[in-house]
Amino acid sequence: MCGFIQRETRSPAVLELLEEVGLGETIPLFKDEAQHSDVLNFYPAFGKAVDKRITNLIVDSKRTINATWWFDASPVGDTLALGDRTTFNARNLDSPYWHKAISKRRGIIVATAVGESNSSANGKSQYLMRATSGAMLLGVVYRMFSNGCFSCAVVTRPPRPDFSQYHEKSIPCFLPHNKAFINAWLGNEDHGAVDELLSNPKIYCDLEVTKVKTFKSGEPLAPTAILPASTR
């Protein structure tokens, strides 16, 4: 599960990463975002809170959208009605429900941290994962509606052993910091590298992992550990 995403809007790493992977034409959109808020915290739209949107979700090399973080939705007037199906993550990509989105509607979220959790004997343990340097890219799928609204889900994959200590059921679909791959992902191409990534999820930057009281506060409950980038 990926149920929390944070972006430090004024971090130089965000703009540097966009330039590195060939998304420099979106930089003015992110600079404008930074004029209004230092930190953006994104949460899924539980309770049918349609205003729980992820902003500046990249859908091509020049364009971003603001999308409600809950894929199951339908247009009503100038907004969305959210369904009962829990769809803030897209995991079973072989399902017909996700087939069109993963084939034709792939996007990217730029983040500086994500939140994961695991159940324990004392309840739920929450872990804030920050990129040690730079930022990270997350794969998402999205929907477009007739009234101009959008909804989305973060792509998650089956767990890796190194990640399972923080979330045992899945891992977010981190994307490589590679221009050719990003072109293929956003171009919705039938590309072998995309299939390989979805079959073999990896961590592309070292992560500082801290057990926290809440994701938003980041108040530590234990020393920070390093989860290194994947070597295979």
Side-chain angles (χ1 to χ4, degrees):
M1 179 185 80
C2 181
F4 175 81
I5 297 171
Q6 185 176 82
R7 184 161 64 237
E8 296 178 9
T9 63
R10 297 180 183 176
S11 169
V14 169
L15 305 187
E16 290 168 3
L17 181 54
L18 290 169
E19 193 69 55
E20 178 185 349
V21 299
L23 298 174
E25 290 189 70
T26 67
I27 285 176
L29 301 171
F30 286 85
K31 285 184 174 179
D32 181 68
E33 176 182 85
Q35 299 301 311
H36 305 286
S37 179
D38 293 345
V39 178
L40 294 174
N41 296 310
F42 302 121
Y43 295 90
F46 281 108
K48 301 189 176 182
V50 70
D51 60 328
K52 297 289 188 181
R53 297 183 178 94
I54 295 175
T55 60
N56 271 341
L57 189 161
I58 299 169
V59 295
D60 64 39
S61 62
K62 301 178 181 180
R63 187 168 67 102
T64 68
I65 61 173
N66 299 333
T68 296
W69 192 358
W70 197 269
F71 198 80
D72 180 17
S74 56
V76 176
D78 61 357
T79 187
L80 295 177
L82 304 188
D84 296 326
R85 183 171 182 168
T86 302
T87 50
F88 61 95
N89 288 163
R91 179 177 176 184
N92 182 15
L93 300 180
D94 293 329
S95 164
Y97 185 78
W98 298 111
H99 177 73
K100 184 174 183 179
I102 197 62
S103 301
K104 303 294 184 182
R105 295 284 184 266
R106 297 193 295 257
I108 297 172
I109 298 168
V110 185
T112 51
V114 297
E116 292 287 359
S117 61
N118 254 347
S119 297
S120 66
N122 298 320
K124 182 180 289 187
S125 297
Q126 299 188 111
Y127 301 96
L128 189 63
M129 301 179 161
R130 299 183 182 276
T132 57
S133 61
M136 63 184 87
L137 304 175
L138 302 174
V140 298
V141 291
Y142 66 95
R143 297 177 71 182
M144 304 182 295
F145 297 96
S146 57
N147 62 358
C149 293
F150 298 87
S151 68
C152 70
V154 174
V155 178
T156 62
R157 306 309 299 135
R160 289 178 54 93
D162 52 356
F163 198 85
S164 294
Q165 59 188 309
Y166 306 114
H167 188 68
E168 63 185 4
K169 294 183 179 180
S170 63
I171 180 172
C173 184
F174 297 110
L175 302 180
H177 303 177
N178 176 280
K179 185 182 295 187
F181 180 89
I182 295 305
N183 283 339
W185 181 266
L186 289 178
N188 298 296
E189 299 174 14
D190 293 328
H191 194 289
V194 172
D195 292 340
E196 170 61 21
L197 177 139
L198 293 174
S199 299
N200 183 29
K202 294 182 180 180
I203 304 167
Y204 292 96
C205 59
D206 293 347
L207 299 174
E208 294 179 348
V209 183
T210 308
K211 186 177 180 180
V212 294
K213 186 173 182 179
T214 67
F215 295 136
K216 185 176 180 179
S217 72
E219 181 180 343
L221 298 178
T224 295
I226 299 295
L227 178 58
S230 308
T231 57
R232 58 179 182 176

